[in-house]
């Protein structure tokens, strides 16, 4: 599905770097989500924004900092990450019920 | 919190076979979706099905909310059906919980 785009698709970063993941949805939805998918684990909800307001923060460490400037864009700012943060980070959007996912950013922390 | 359990964890089918995947959840939910994750990581919506039965081509799904389970049926499986199938439930607000998935491999 091309309604939700994510950049970059792949990212390798050191533990001292600062980087940002970007998500954009072209579906006119009001809610946007960040998920983390680690190997051998279910998708974990990180954050939800509805009409730019954060409605869910699933006890995510402060080294992950979300930003939602408008209903179409969602960022995840990363700093001083750990190797165990290496995972596929997925963005989704929804209007009421059905969530639509982007292709993900595969993050490797060295 | 709510628990979501999927079975079986792994499934190998011969092309053309039928299968049933199950999702059990431990509490009432507002919303249930089935997704297929392809080998490149893309999650594709299959069904939004908090209750009742829906069909889309070779796939169908049934959710019995009062008994807290949902079933995904795949008929006449094809190699392109391979991947991981997830169910996800939404409790209050936007809180979404995914099951661990069923990894399906369809052999030619």
């Amino acid at each position: 599905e091309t309604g939700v785009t994510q950049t970059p698709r792949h990212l390798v970063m050191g533990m001292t770097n600062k980087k940002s993941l970007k998500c954009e949805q072209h579906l006119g939805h009001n809610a946007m989500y960040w998920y983390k998918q680690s190997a051998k684990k279910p998708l974990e909800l990180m954050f939800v924004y509805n009409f730019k307001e954060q409605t869910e923060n699933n006890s995510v460490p402060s080294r992950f900092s979300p930003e939602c400037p408008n209903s179409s864009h969602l960022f995840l700012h990363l700093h001083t990450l750990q190797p165990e943060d290496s995972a596929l980070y997925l963005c989704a959007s929804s209007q009421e019920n059905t969530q639509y996912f982007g292709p993900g950013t595969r993050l490797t922390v060295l | 919190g709510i628990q979501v359990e999927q079975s079986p964890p792994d499934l190998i089918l011969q092309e053309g076979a039928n299968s049933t995947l199950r999702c059990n959840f431990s509490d009432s939910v507002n919303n249930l979706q089935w997704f297929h994750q392809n080998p490149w990581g893309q999650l594709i919506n299959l069904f939004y099905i908090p209750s009742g039965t829906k069909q889309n081509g070779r796939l169908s799904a049934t959710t019995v909310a009062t008994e807290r389970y949902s079933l995904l049926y795949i008929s006449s499986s094809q190699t392109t059906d391979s991947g991981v199938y997830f169910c996800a439930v939404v409790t209050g607000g936007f809180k979404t919980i995914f099951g661990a998935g069923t990894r399906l491999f369809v052999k030619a």
Side-chain angles (χ1 to χ4, degrees):
Chain A
E1 295 175 348
T2 57
V4 182
T5 58
Q6 290 186 241
T7 54
R9 295 292 308 277
H10 301 271
L11 178 61
V12 179
M13 60 187 289
M15 289 189 285
T16 59
N17 292 157
K18 291 185 179 181
K19 297 287 185 184
S20 296
L21 309 185
K22 179 182 176 182
C23 176
E24 184 173 359
Q25 59 99 358
H26 311 273
L27 301 169
H29 292 167
N30 51 273
M32 297 188 76
Y33 309 69
W34 278 119
Y35 288 88
K36 176 184 179 182
Q37 187 177 28
S38 304
K40 309 295 184 184
K41 292 179 71 175
L43 274 80
E44 301 170 72
L45 181 66
M46 300 175 73
F47 303 102
V48 183
Y49 281 79
N50 187 35
F51 292 108
K52 302 189 299 178
E53 299 297 320
Q54 189 179 112
T55 61
E56 295 286 343
N57 178 339
N58 202 24
S59 302
V60 180
S62 59
R63 57 186 184 269
F64 296 91
S65 175
E67 179 190 0
C68 188
N70 55 61
S71 292
S72 299
H73 294 86
L74 184 65
F75 296 89
L76 189 63
H77 304 299
L78 315 172
H79 62 98
T80 60
L81 294 191
Q82 305 299 310
E84 59 264 29
D85 297 322
S86 298
L88 180 66
Y89 289 84
L90 291 158
C91 173
S93 70
S94 74
Q95 183 73 20
E96 297 180 357
N97 298 314
T98 305
Q99 292 184 36
Y100 294 86
F101 281 79
T105 295
R106 190 161 297 280
L107 173 67
T108 302
V109 182
L110 301 177
Chain B
I2 191 169
Q3 304 296 313
V4 181
E5 296 181 352
Q6 291 188 241
S7 60
D10 297 280
L11 184 60
I12 300 175
L13 297 177
Q14 191 66 46
E15 196 170 29
N18 304 327
S19 63
T20 301
L21 282 56
R22 188 177 180 102
C23 173
N24 292 334
F25 43 97
S26 61
D27 205 345
S28 300
V29 299
N30 300 329
N31 177 339
L32 187 145
Q33 280 189 263
W34 283 98
F35 295 91
H36 174 221
Q37 188 170 37
N38 67 23
W40 298 272
Q42 177 73 57
L43 275 154
I44 306 296
N45 284 299
L46 298 177
F47 295 101
Y48 163 69
I49 186 162
S51 63
T53 297
K54 291 186 178 180
Q55 181 156 5
N56 184 1
R58 296 181 297 103
L59 302 182
S60 64
T62 295
T63 297
V64 183
T66 54
E67 297 187 22
R68 299 178 183 167
Y69 72 89
S70 184
L71 303 174
L72 178 69
Y73 305 95
I74 304 174
S75 64
S76 303
S77 59
Q78 300 177 357
T79 56
T80 52
D81 294 332
S82 297
V84 185
Y85 290 81
F86 292 101
C87 74
V89 302
V90 178
T91 58
F94 294 91
K95 190 169 181 64
T96 308
I97 300 166
F98 274 73
T102 292
R103 186 173 300 275
L104 173 65
F105 180 68
V106 181
K107 298 187 296 183

